[in-house]
Every structure is written in C-alpha cells, then in structure tokens.
Amino acid sequence: MYAQLVETGAKRVKSLDEMSPEERAFQEKIDAETKIEPKNWMPEGYRKTLVRQISQHAHSEVVGMLPEGNWVTRAPTLKRKLQLMAKIQDEAGHGLYLYSAMETLGADRDEEIEKLHQGKAKYSSIFNYPTLNWADMGAVGWLVDGAAIVNQVVLQRTSYGPYSRAMIRICKEESFHQRQGYQILLDMMREGTEEQKQMVQDAINRLWWPALMMFGPHDDESPNSQQSMAWKIKRKSNDELRQMFIDQTVPQLEYLGCTAPDPDLKWNEETGHYDFGEINWQEFYDVLKGNGPCNRERINTRKKAIEEGAWVREAAVAYAKKQKQRAAAA
Amino acid sequence: MNQKEALTEYLLRLADSDMILGQRLCELCGKAPALEEEMALMNVALDLVGQARNWYEYAADLIDDGRDADKLAYRRDAHDYRNLLLTEQPNEDYAVTMGRQFFFDVWHYFTLKSLVNASDERVAGIAAKALKEVTYHLRRSSEWVKRLGDGTEESHRRMQDAVDILWRFTGELITPDETDQLMAEAGIGPDPEQLKEDWRGLVKEVLQEATLTPQPDDAWMYMGGKRGEHTEHLGFILAEMQFLQRAYPDATTW
C-alpha cells in the first residue's frame, strides 16, 4: 500500500438525491462497476483524489528505490545483485507507468514531483525507515512488497480505468519481488550462519510495525475513506486490509522460524483471524509529518538528483529543438 | 603464457570490466537526472553484471581450483582485478558518466562483434547474447554524447571537459599486450590493429557530430588495469562491493 491518508475534500458522502444530474449519472456508473475512463465526465473531487493517490503511489515507487540503492552496491553475490537491480529497474518502471496514469487526469508529472520536494505531497511512510543490514533487502521484499500487494490486488478493481490497468501489471511484478524477498530470508535461516540468522530477525524486528503502518490509520480515524469507498477508488478499508496482511504473513513468519516484535500476536479461534497489538500511532503521525529516521535524507536525495540533473534535461530539450530545426531546413 | 592461460586472463578482463562499470552505475541508483534515465542506467548495469557473471563462470571452469563466479568477483583484491582503468573512474557529473560509457561501449561493441566469431564456441555464445545488449548501450551513449555536446553552452562545456578528463584512460582499450596478441592469433580476440582503427573511427565520428574535439592520438595514456595496476579508486569500489563476503567469510549462502 503506497497511498496513506489520501484527502478527498469531502466532509461526508452525498446521497443520490443531493447530487446534480451529472454527479448522479457518474455515481450510478460507479455503482454498476463500469470503469471511468479519461474522457468521461467526473466530479472534481474524484479527479483530485485520484491525482493525489496515484501521485503518492508513483512517488513511493521512486523514493522506494533509495533504501534498496543503499544495498545494491553491497549485494553479496552476483545472483542477489542481479535480482536487486532488476527489482529497482521494475520500480522505476512502475513510477513511470503510474505518472502516466496520473497524467491522463490532466496532472503534470513535474509539478507533482515539485510538490513532493516541497513536502506538500506524501509517499509511503515505510521508505523513511533505514535499511541497516542485508536481510533488510529480503524483509523489504517480503513485508513491504507483500503489504503493497494486499492493497494493490484490491486496487485492480478500482473504478478509474488507467489506474486499475496499471495495478494489474504492477501486481504481477511485485508478487515476484515478494517471493524473491522471502527466499533471501529463507535461505539465510535454513543455511546461514548464526550471524546471518540474527540479521534476519533484526530486519523483521525493525520493519514489522512500519509494514503494518503502511495500511494507514484505523477506519474510524480515516476521514477520507468513506468518500473514496463510495467512489470505489478504495475497495476495502484500512483495517480490513491490515488484517488480511497479518493473516497471510504470520504463517510465513513461523515457517521462517522467526518471531514478530509483538507479544499480543496470537491466533484467535473464534474470529478465525490473528489478534495483534496496537500500532504506535504517535510514531506513524510523526513519520508522516516528516519526523521519521530518513525523511530528510530521502527527500534531499531526490531533490538533489532533479536539481543537479537540470542541465542534462535542458541539454536534451535544446538538442531536440536543434534537430527539429535541422530536419525542417533540410 | 599458453593459450589457456591467455584465455583465462582475457575472460577476467572482460568480466572485471563489466563488473566494475556495472558497479559504478549501481552507485547512481535514485540519483539520475530523470526517471527514464534511472531505468536506462539500471538496465545497462543489469546487462553488464549479467555478462560479467557469464564470463566469470567460464573463467572459473578454466581456473578449476574450486572457486566459482562469486568467489572470483567477491574474493579477489585490486591487484588481481583486470578491468580497464576507464571503468573504475568515478561518476562525477552526467557528462563524465556518459563519456565513460561511450568510450567503453565503442570498445565493447567492436570487441564483442569480433568475439561472436571466436574459434571458442563458449566465448562466441556469450558474446552473441552480449552483443545484442551492447548494441543498444552504444546507441544510447552515442545519443547522449551528441545531446550533451550539441545541447546548451553548459552541457557542451561539461561534455568537452569529460572527453578531456577521460581521454588518458582510452589508450588502454586499443593498445594490445601479449594476452591480446595471443587471443587474436588463436582466432578468439579481435585483431588489435582493426580494433584500434574501428574505435578511433567511430569515436571521432560521434565526437564530431557532437561538436566536440578529441585529444590527439599520441596523447599520453594512463595504462595498467589489464595487468592489475589500478587507479586509487578500485580499492574503494571493492571495499564496498565485497563488504559482505569479506565481513562474513564463513557464510556459504546468501
């Protein structure tokens, strides 16, 4: 899940009676599960909400390359290095693909990136945590891509056509990343040294809670969810998705032979789900406000890349212009 | 030096050059001037490290002392590395990154073009796959040299500076030593004179189109990578790249 707390601009969901004829026709289309396409009429709030959500998602793919870039130069074997490079390349591709989906809504990639650099646009809180040992590359794949997939599988049915199609394509690649991530951890737990096993447990200890935070606040603390659900941009609530993730992940954790840093985590026979402890919401909101371990570094790295690359992009534009003039003169 | 020794040496040069340049490109992750470039840089790096793996595997089979491709990549120190000095030069700005890539790609392209016809089948097979990838690398880096050279005033200045900074490392690409001669004689490696002519010809053509000036052919050249005498950069590249294998020597699986 790469989009958290996406604003809809709506205090409450309008009933069909309160809507204009256009709004009502739109809502009826949504209710009938007809996909909305770029040329269709849509309420301004719907358009803005989608731009926010898709741009957050795209920013997350791009910022998400940084914690992996931290280890790609130190990957321990040729196989692992190649896998990590391929994953990073996929993420750049997802970013491009999502920005394109966002541009079908009339938004501009450069403007949205500028908002990110000014701190006005969000990206997933998870990428503000540092990657401190090699096992983090496994844990990020398993837990972070895993959490993303839980959300994105549902988003394949999101109401906006281009976003839905982007999700279908992206989900395939992320499932692959997740399996690779898990395999890194499994190999280290099965055949690794004591030190390698400690790396795995340490990575899980640090990334477990931040991964759960990826689903966003509790449903009753999520004021925008209701409108997003009515527009079928969102298809399941934060708490539902978080529970799905926990239920699928805990057996995998046990299979690894590792533990979660949560003493309250246990199977509940009655509900058929795992119970788990309360997330540290203070930490969640702190990270969202910019006070996570790596917020500054992540944004500064991105800003620097774009600022220092300005002359390169200008040169490309100037050269293209010259080429065009030459072609016209010839 | 017999032919097997020469081939082993030659394979390590190919592998090490691919590996070190791939590593330099990995350093740029998240720092490229545009998202399209992030993808392209990582794509080129991925090709290079993949090619390195193929060459290392063949070299490991010939060396046959129990070391595999990973051991060759991660457990040899700088004096055993045989990469071209050009590949270990730092990224600096994007003009240096692209200039380095271009000079290397021209050499890589003509070398592989010859290797696809090698009398050694395994070499020919690896080269055939690599040539497809490197044909794209060369097209891309040539385009960038032209864009930057003939773009804005600033990009022209930077690109010319890059050519001037990197030129002294290009002699090594086209100056044959005993290994190169032996490989040519064995019908594996390219004919050194032909390689020199091809490299100079294409480099000059692209630089001219890019409104850039090459340095003279007889300019002083810094050489030594092929015999394990490197610039100060390589030690740091390996310290980072080999960190886990060195810090956890008992680990057999990653």
Side-chain angles (χ1 to χ4, degrees):
Chain A
M1 170 133 187
Y2 289 149
Q4 294 158 327
L5 278 175
V6 180
E7 278 205 26
T8 57
K11 291 203 176 61
R12 62 178 187 84
V13 179
K14 281 189 197 171
S15 69
L16 282 176
D17 296 341
E18 296 168 282
M19 292 177 183
S20 69
E22 273 172 325
E23 284 174 324
R24 197 176 310 146
F26 174 83
Q27 189 62 47
E28 281 166 358
K29 232 170 136 177
I30 297 262
D31 293 342
E33 299 288 335
T34 306
K35 291 271 180 272
I36 307 300
E37 295 299 334
K39 283 181 181 160
N40 298 153
W41 184 88
M42 61 186 82
E44 194 52 18
Y46 177 84
R47 195 186 67 80
K48 281 189 176 159
T49 302
L50 270 170
V51 169
R52 279 193 209 102
Q53 176 154 340
I54 301 174
S55 66
Q56 267 193 39
H57 196 154
H59 299 333
S60 298
E61 295 282 357
V62 176
V63 177
M65 293 163 67
L66 300 176
E68 291 174 330
N70 185 41
W71 279 96
V72 72
T73 53
R74 291 179 290 171
T77 64
L78 292 161
K79 179 177 146 189
R80 294 297 184 214
K81 194 179 191 79
L82 288 163
Q83 282 178 350
L84 187 56
M85 292 164 83
K87 181 172 194 271
I88 292 169
Q89 198 197 1
D90 284 347
E91 279 152 4
H94 296 171
L96 277 174
Y97 200 52
L98 285 161
Y99 282 125
S100 301
M102 181 198 77
E103 290 189 321
T104 64
L105 291 153
D108 178 73
R109 195 218 293 193
D110 293 341
E111 278 173 29
E112 295 306 316
I113 289 175
E114 186 52 33
K115 285 182 199 161
L116 170 73
H117 294 175
Q118 289 171 357
K120 288 181 192 159
K122 292 201 262 302
Y123 55 92
S124 180
S125 55
I126 190 75
F127 301 119
N128 292 312
Y129 290 86
T131 51
L132 299 179
N133 78 49
W134 168 252
D136 285 30
M137 292 304 98
V140 164
W142 173 45
L143 295 173
V144 176
D145 286 72
I149 292 163
V150 166
N151 184 54
Q152 288 167 189
V153 163
V154 184
L155 282 176
Q156 293 180 73
R157 295 189 296 118
T158 194
S159 60
Y160 187 58
Y163 192 31
S164 157
R165 290 189 286 276
M167 284 300 109
I168 291 167
R169 178 164 152 178
I170 288 172
C171 270
K172 280 185 199 152
E173 291 181 351
E174 297 212 323
S175 304
F176 186 63
H177 299 159
Q178 191 200 14
R179 282 198 298 278
Q180 270 179 352
Y182 190 68
Q183 196 63 46
I184 288 175
L185 302 181
L186 197 59
D187 286 354
M188 285 169 82
M189 289 307 291
R190 289 277 161 88
E191 295 164 58
T193 61
E194 228 17 74
E195 282 171 313
Q196 287 176 296
K197 289 177 189 168
Q198 282 169 16
M199 278 183 206
V200 174
Q201 185 60 58
D202 173 59
I204 293 171
N205 289 348
R206 281 180 289 103
L207 289 167
W208 181 262
W209 288 111
L212 297 187
M213 291 177 197
M214 288 173 69
F215 296 95
H218 280 312
D219 296 347
D220 52 11
E221 299 282 332
S222 185
N224 301 297
S225 283
Q226 226 188 340
Q227 180 63 67
S228 272
M229 300 271 271
W231 279 332
K232 296 190 181 176
I233 293 174
K234 251 179 117 127
R235 307 286 320 219
K236 279 187 192 297
S237 79
N238 295 351
D239 287 326
E240 279 177 286
L241 291 166
R242 188 161 22 236
Q243 188 67 54
M244 282 170 67
F245 174 70
I246 292 260
D247 289 346
Q248 75 172 41
T249 304
V250 174
Q252 295 167 0
L253 178 74
E254 288 168 353
Y255 189 72
L256 273 181
C258 291
T259 57
D262 178 1
D264 298 322
L265 183 71
K266 59 174 183 297
W267 176 250
N268 184 328
E269 201 64 56
E270 257 172 62
T271 60
H273 295 288
Y274 284 92
D275 292 338
F276 56 99
E278 193 58 42
I279 286 170
N280 181 345
W281 293 110
Q282 186 58 48
E283 178 181 320
F284 173 75
Y285 287 108
D286 280 345
V287 174
L288 238 52
K289 276 190 210 125
N291 297 316
C294 299
N295 296 56
R296 276 163 213 269
E297 286 80 358
R298 300 292 187 240
I299 289 299
N300 283 344
T301 303
R302 291 305 311 152
K303 263 171 90 167
K304 211 172 149 207
I306 295 304
E307 282 166 16
E308 288 181 357
W311 70 270
V312 177
R313 298 189 302 276
E314 281 160 19
V317 171
Y319 180 75
K321 209 169 143 189
K322 283 185 197 173
Q323 288 293 88
K324 214 172 156 187
Q325 282 165 353
R326 280 172 199 147
Chain B
M1 191 169 4
N2 64 32
Q3 195 185 314
K4 189 178 161 192
E5 286 164 347
L7 178 57
T8 307
E9 185 74 10
Y10 194 73
L11 292 172
L12 286 175
R13 290 178 183 183
L14 291 166
D16 290 343
S17 289
D18 286 343
M19 189 70 197
I20 296 302
L21 186 55
Q23 176 73 1
R24 278 295 192 207
L25 296 178
C26 281
E27 291 172 12
L28 289 169
C29 173
K31 296 166 188 158
L35 196 47
E36 286 80 357
E37 290 304 294
E38 290 287 350
M39 264 193 93
L41 287 171
M42 200 46 87
N43 184 26
V44 171
L46 195 56
D47 290 343
L48 290 174
V49 176
Q51 291 169 24
R53 180 166 67 173
N54 293 336
W55 297 127
Y56 280 135
E57 281 170 356
Y58 191 9
D61 287 348
L62 291 176
I63 295 168
D64 194 27
D65 64 356
R67 285 185 292 173
D68 60 9
D70 281 327
K71 286 275 188 303
L72 293 178
Y74 290 97
R75 298 284 182 99
R76 281 179 309 137
D77 202 351
H79 60 268
D80 284 329
Y81 254 74
R82 295 290 182 260
N83 60 288
L84 297 161
L85 297 180
L86 178 70
T87 60
E88 67 200 42
Q89 298 313 305
N91 294 320
E92 305 286 352
D93 66 5
Y94 215 57
V96 172
T97 297
M98 278 303 152
R100 183 186 62 199
Q101 192 69 41
F102 171 65
F103 289 146
F104 178 79
D105 288 345
V106 176
W107 170 84
H108 206 192
Y109 174 76
F110 285 118
T111 299
L112 290 169
K113 229 179 143 184
S114 172
L115 290 178
V116 295
N117 298 315
S119 58
D120 182 298
E121 270 180 35
R122 190 161 171 188
V123 168
I126 296 172
K129 184 176 176 288
L131 181 61
K132 282 184 198 148
E133 296 167 345
V134 171
T135 303
Y136 157 75
H137 301 176
L138 174 61
R139 197 173 64 218
R140 183 181 123 73
S141 61
S142 304
E143 283 300 314
W144 269 112
V145 167
K146 289 182 215 166
R147 264 183 217 123
L148 298 180
D150 192 21
T152 63
E153 214 171 292
E154 181 183 4
S155 72
H156 177 82
R157 176 180 55 75
R158 285 175 182 262
M159 196 63 234
Q160 184 63 56
D161 284 350
V163 168
D164 297 344
I165 289 167
L166 295 169
W167 193 261
R168 67 200 163 115
F169 299 110
T170 60
E172 190 176 31
L173 279 56
I174 50 174
T175 306
D177 65 0
E178 192 194 348
T179 303
D180 294 314
Q181 296 289 4
L182 278 169
M183 282 297 97
E185 284 160 23
I188 295 174
D191 171 58
E193 279 312 308
Q194 188 63 47
L195 180 65
K196 186 181 283 185
E197 200 180 303
D198 289 340
W199 188 89
R200 282 183 176 160
L202 185 54
V203 163
K204 278 177 191 164
E205 186 187 315
V206 171
L207 291 187
Q208 192 180 17
E209 207 184 317
T211 70
L212 297 164
T213 316
Q215 299 239 347
D217 288 344
D218 62 356
W220 178 79
M221 290 293 172
Y222 189 166
M223 297 192 263
K226 292 198 278 196
R227 58 174 188 272
E229 284 173 31
H230 291 274
T231 58
E232 290 178 342
H233 302 297
L234 186 63
F236 290 94
I237 294 176
L238 296 183
E240 183 174 359
M241 190 175 92
Q242 299 178 335
F243 159 67
L244 285 166
Q245 291 261 356
R246 301 289 193 182
Y248 302 95
D250 298 335
T252 52
T253 291
W254 285 98

